[in-house]
Amino acid sequence: MKTLEELIYYCKEENPFGAIMLTGKWGCGKTYLIDNDLVTELGEDFIVIRVSLFGKVSLDEVKRDVQKLYFQKLILNFGSDVENVIGKVPNISEDQAKKAGEVADELSLKSKKFMESKAGTIIKKVAELCKKVPGLEKIMSISPSDYIDVEPYIGNKKVVLVFDDLERCKIIDEIQVLGCINEYCENKHIKTIIVANEEIIVKKEKNNNDKSEIKNADTDDGKNDTISSANDLTYNDIKEKIVTRTIRNVPDYSKIIIEILREYKSSNSDNEPSLYKEFLERQKEDIIRIFHCGSCDNIRSVKCAIQDFERIFDAISGKVSDEDLNGFFVMFMVFMLLFRDKKITNDEKYGYLLSDEIIREEYPEFYNRDYVLHSARKWIIDGEWEADSIDNEINDFLEKKKETEPKEIVKNHDLLTISDEEMKHGFPEVVHLAYEGKLSLDEYILFLENISYARYVDYDLPVSVDMEKLRAGVAIALENLTNSAVLDTNDRRMICSNNMELLSEAEKNIYQMICDYRENHVQMFSYNKSKYIAALQSTDLTLLYECEDKRFNVFDERLANEVVNCFSQLDNSRKRLFVGIFDKTWKYHTDSNEFLVKDSKIGFEKLRELLQDKEEIEKQEQRGISAAIYGMFIKSVENIIGLLPVEK
């Protein structure tokens, strides 16, 4: 039998015996199955009362919730007109209160069986009070649910109690809760369904037992072993007594997703047809395919994805085509599913840079790097919504899309997404650009991936690639980037380990050139050095202050000359400040693994030599104070030289 059929069969059994358990992973649609499918299929002859155990801290709290929800169902089934009247409090007139009492009287006569119950007695008393009291707010100050016994029927309708989220109780453990539930299913003979993720319960119990064994091993002398084992009840022990059978939820995810989309309420619909809901309807098949394609089985993640993308939809709809909108949605959804499934994490070395490779491996059919919105990912991860960043990314995307020449497509797309015509016309141009060092580092990496993958799928490239020329082109590109004021991107393309085996040795060596360049921060050090030289040439101490915390990997002879040129142009008061800034800027780099000690020692010694020459000139010109400041600077440089390791 299917899951739903088992639940219906249990609810309709004439002889209630024990509870039934519905188990399954978090987010697999257990609660949805109860609230929608089961309630619908049972129809008007049953009243389903679902009690959430999430965060409950005491058994009394559980019992109060059961009574409260039972009373609410009782009112809804026997006092809907009274409920409508109560909705008008506190401005109800005496005549209206009297009318409410008459209605309650009339409703209470609907079921003799109900009137004979304790709940019926309470309602009858409420009816009498309604006739006498001109303001229902006085009646509302009492809590009739506290005086009601939960019974197997409300009128002629059979009650089904559903206890949801058993594994999410707090303080009280699952064994105590099952004992409490037993009061309803065994003593009161009420049909009872327990909804839980049993894997979590069993894992929690095992962890608790392991901790107890460790504690007992440290403190117990072995005398209480017999007593302890006799008194302890395990989860399985109490479950065997209460639960007559366990059903594992095997959800119809496609049906659930369709229902979620049908029921979705757009935040911007304003009672008019929602453009976003219409968009979701068009994505229905893709959403179902994405969900079934990956390993994620949490339906809540789908809800989060379609809910959160609405904000992005509002920001970019009308700016991009329907096809592109679909592409952004697909990449957003697969990222959300993997992120919520904790498969995308913040790597210590690369942050979230590896997320694209994870998506590519998990959802190869849907992966398209062109539709990655980094600002949207940041919003998912950090909760920071930046509308301007979204706009900038979309503008960049549109600018890039304008470049529809075959060479641009070949430069920026995976091989299997490129047409034969585009490869025929664009690939030779890209090869020429690669030899001249005119591709970005990410474009070189994609180029390597594409030519290796062409070999793997036995595709003949329009022109052959000379590896030596390609290596020379990469070297030119690295040199140009080193001297450029435009920093390399932080979102760097990488070749995942599974694809590395497709590369030839020559291709691996070229890829390693790029990786070494980036991992050694070559451009950053060059950029910082250029900023430092510019600050020295300006003789502006404020700019030099800003360089104190920058990372450097060498102090060379070029810097030695620039430092002396700057220092010699300053007056004495600024010379003294300069020495302090210089000291803070450089002495803390001496023990860095990145610092090139041999070259730096030559640079510092050159600086000392130049300063000594200047000091001697100042002495000869009888400028004693200036000579003393030069001497102070020389001591600072000698101190830094002394801090350098003997070997590096």
Side-chain angles (χ1 to χ4, degrees), residues 249-297:
N249 187 32
V250 183
D252 183 346
Y253 285 119
S254 298
K255 179 183 176 182
I256 294 173
I257 289 172
I258 290 171
E259 190 64 20
I260 288 171
L261 295 178
R262 186 184 68 80
E263 294 180 352
Y264 185 80
K265 291 181 173 59
S266 174
S267 59
N268 296 321
S269 60
D270 295 329
N271 297 322
E272 295 180 3
S274 166
L275 293 177
Y276 183 59
K277 190 160 184 177
E278 291 175 2
F279 168 80
L280 289 178
E281 185 62 28
R282 295 195 297 272
Q283 308 312 312
K284 180 169 59 181
E285 295 303 321
D286 272 349
I287 294 172
I288 293 172
R289 284 171 54 225
I290 290 169
F291 187 80
H292 287 299
C293 172
S295 59
C296 173
D297 56 4

Side-chain angles (χ1 to χ4, degrees), residues 131-220:
K131 294 176 182 178
K132 299 175 182 178
V133 182
L136 282 181
E137 65 274 14
K138 294 185 179 179
I139 299 170
M140 296 304 293
S141 66
I142 66 171
S143 299
S145 63
D146 294 341
Y147 305 97
I148 288 178
D149 247 353
V150 179
E151 299 176 351
Y153 289 87
I154 293 179
N156 295 319
K157 298 183 179 183
K158 186 181 291 186
V159 172
V160 178
L161 278 179
V162 180
F163 290 91
D164 199 0
D165 291 321
L166 174 62
E167 73 283 359
R168 285 184 165 123
C169 285
K170 285 187 175 181
I171 301 179
I172 51 179
D173 61 36
E174 291 81 7
I175 295 174
Q176 290 177 294
V177 181
L178 287 175
C180 174
I181 292 173
N182 188 49
E183 178 184 341
Y184 299 101
C185 62
E186 184 172 326
N187 299 337
K188 294 181 178 293
H189 306 294
I190 299 174
K191 293 289 185 177
T192 304
I193 300 172
I194 304 168
V195 182
N197 182 344
E198 270 203 303
E199 292 180 7
I200 300 298
I201 296 173
V202 172
K203 184 178 180 181
K204 188 193 302 183
E205 185 178 50
K206 183 180 183 304
N207 290 339
N208 290 338
N209 289 340
D210 290 345
K211 290 177 183 177
S212 297
E213 287 176 8
I214 294 171
K215 184 176 180 181
N216 290 337
D218 292 338
T219 60
D220 195 10

Side-chain angles (χ1 to χ4, degrees), residues 600-622:
S600 297
K601 187 173 183 180
I602 293 172
F604 285 124
E605 287 176 345
K606 178 66 175 180
L607 175 60
R608 178 176 59 184
E609 178 186 334
L610 293 172
L611 291 173
Q612 287 172 340
D613 290 344
K614 290 285 186 181
E615 180 189 31
E616 186 61 31
I617 292 172
E618 295 300 299
K619 287 180 179 178
Q620 291 174 3
E621 297 292 333
Q622 296 184 346

